[in-house]
Amino acid sequence: MLRKSFASLISIAFGLAALVPPALADGDVEVRSRVITDFKIGSDETKFGTLEFLGGLEMVSPQRLFGSLSSIRFRSDRTHFVGVLDTGHWMTGRIERDPQGRLSGVADVAITPMKNRVGRSFEGKGHMDAEGLALHGDQIFVSFEQQHRVDVYPDQGFEASRAIDTIPLPFPRKSLRANRGFETIAVAPVDSALKGGTLIVAERSLDADGNAYAAILDGPLEGRLSLAHYGDFDATDGAFLPDGDLLLLERRFNMAEGIGMRIRRIKAADIRPGAVMDGEVLLQGDFSYQIDNMEGLDVFAAEDGTTHVVIVSDDNHSILQRNLMLEFRLVEPRAGDTARLQN
């Protein structure tokens, strides 16, 4: 009964948050962070399959525009980031670390309204529901729900620029659900099979076989494909690993089970036109873990050469939800370990 009541409150909060557009921000945004040391609540366990938990943050701000973070991408310095809010805003800033290298806070945060192709900003969530973000050379691609599209911005000066182009989607609009469109947009490595191509994956717009719509928008393997969809887990973001594999973040919310999240790894060979993408679940969590409405994921190579995975949550501007940033290290099995497992 308690779980159902709490889930009901969250559902109401989701709806109310969408009805009240927050005020625009002026200048830097103050963000206060509480350090998270355990991923599984009440446990000091750090290894979760091939992912090792490194630490996290719970973030709050007196600026009520802060929150609703849908996607995040880190710059090459592994410190500065660009994000989009589903209220139609950019968020930029940098992460801070303690002497041990663990996340300790975020700083220099700024939030600015996005502009559409005619230069208008904050038309309402129905027009500027930004959900996905990809850094593509000297451009930034942003995927929008409700008015389904992928808009292009110049990477230099994007905060003040209107969208300079829109990439055609190879799907009829009527096949895409209003609030279940393309939340995932990611650019593959240039030396992978996709040769720097851009992949989009729908949250819960499903084809006749019950799979989520997906497409490679450019590059030598341009074409349509799909993602195997299971139960109530929906794709919310993804990022490519250096070998061309895709890490896909998926989120669950229903009245019976509440919020859940998982990360799936999809092999590079399975990302091609006509394929139904599927893969191994690397991590799965529910309310017994430090998670919330997890919507954003990015990967980057740390200074020691290991791959770090950062996931963030969208609090929907609800007092019942949290803005989280969690960091993991991807621990790849060594060749010797693989040989021993096979023997």
Side-chain angles (χ1 to χ4, degrees):
M1 177 65 73
L2 179 60
R3 173 178 287 186
K4 289 185 178 180
S5 297
F6 187 62
S8 298
L9 288 172
I10 291 178
S11 181
I12 293 170
F14 267 64
L16 290 177
L19 295 176
V20 184
L24 296 180
D26 291 318
D28 290 342
V29 175
E30 178 190 357
V31 178
R32 297 186 290 269
S33 300
R34 180 183 70 84
V35 172
I36 296 172
T37 58
D38 60 318
F39 178 57
K40 187 174 183 179
I41 297 172
S43 170
D44 60 1
E45 182 181 0
T46 59
K47 299 290 183 62
F48 303 90
T50 58
L51 289 171
E52 177 186 3
F53 181 64
L54 301 178
L57 303 171
E58 179 180 348
M59 303 169 290
V60 297
S61 173
Q63 167 54 257
R64 69 189 186 100
L65 188 60
F66 179 81
S68 287
L69 181 59
S70 294
S71 187
I72 189 170
R73 295 290 182 245
F74 282 87
R75 296 294 193 180
S76 59
D77 66 1
R78 316 176 188 93
T79 299
H80 289 83
F81 61 82
V82 180
V84 289
L85 314 183
D86 65 18
T87 51
H89 294 81
W90 302 103
M91 186 171 85
T92 57
R94 63 179 175 86
I95 56 172
E96 295 179 320
R97 297 186 181 275
D98 66 16
Q100 289 72 45
R102 296 171 297 210
L103 291 173
S104 62
V106 295
D108 301 334
V109 174
I111 298 175
T112 52
M114 305 177 75
K115 295 180 180 179
N116 62 14
R117 289 195 66 180
V118 297
R120 296 183 63 185
S121 62
F122 199 60
E123 297 180 351
K125 193 169 181 178
H127 298 277
M128 299 294 286
D129 185 358
E131 296 289 350
L133 170 70
L135 306 181
H136 199 332
D138 60 356
Q139 297 179 326
I140 296 180
F141 292 176
V142 181
S143 60
F144 292 86
E145 280 188 332
Q146 303 195 54
Q147 283 198 356
H148 304 290
R149 66 192 190 278
V150 174
D151 280 352
V152 181
Y153 293 84
D155 195 354
Q156 294 298 315
F158 60 88
E159 299 99 327
S161 174
R162 64 175 179 83
I164 58 175
D165 199 2
T166 297
I167 300 175
L169 298 177
F171 305 96
R173 285 184 178 272
K174 64 182 181 181
S175 68
L176 302 174
R177 295 178 59 181
N179 200 35
R180 300 287 189 177
F182 292 105
E183 292 213 1
T184 300
I185 181 167
V187 176
V190 294
D191 57 355
S192 68
L194 269 61
K195 303 296 183 185
T198 306
L199 175 73
I200 55 172
V201 183
E203 179 185 8
R204 193 184 287 202
S205 291
L206 308 180
D207 62 21
D209 296 319
N211 301 315
Y213 288 112
I216 302 165
L217 296 180
D218 48 28
L221 295 182
E222 180 179 344
R224 292 175 55 165
L225 63 164
S226 60
L227 172 73
H229 186 274
Y230 298 106
D232 284 341
F233 279 98
D234 302 319
T236 59
D237 205 354
F240 282 93
L241 297 172
D243 64 0
D245 286 3
L246 176 73
L247 289 190
L248 189 70
L249 176 66
E250 297 175 299
R251 181 252 336 264
R252 179 196 68 210
F253 174 75
N254 61 49
M255 301 299 288
E257 299 169 286
I259 290 176
M261 61 78 62
R262 71 182 183 190
I263 296 175
R264 227 192 314 179
R265 183 171 185 166
I266 298 171
K267 295 295 185 182
D270 297 330
I271 307 173
R272 63 187 189 281
V276 179
M277 297 182 293
D278 203 346
E280 173 191 6
V281 175
L282 302 185
L283 178 68
Q284 185 163 324
D286 54 21
F287 270 133
S288 63
Y289 293 82
Q290 294 278 11
I291 68 166
D292 207 281
N293 177 36
M294 310 310 294
E295 285 215 8
L297 177 148
D298 198 20
V299 302
F300 59 85
E303 192 171 353
D304 63 1
T306 60
T307 299
H308 285 212
V309 181
V310 173
I311 57 176
V312 295
S313 69
D314 170 1
D315 73 338
N316 288 292
H317 291 115
S318 166
I319 61 173
L320 300 177
Q321 296 176 261
R322 299 183 294 166
N323 294 298
L324 301 177
M325 179 181 290
L326 307 175
E327 185 175 24
F328 299 83
R329 178 186 292 119
L330 181 62
V331 183
E332 299 281 12
R334 296 173 296 182
D337 296 336
T338 302
R340 282 193 293 272
L341 287 173
Q342 291 174 340
N343 291 333

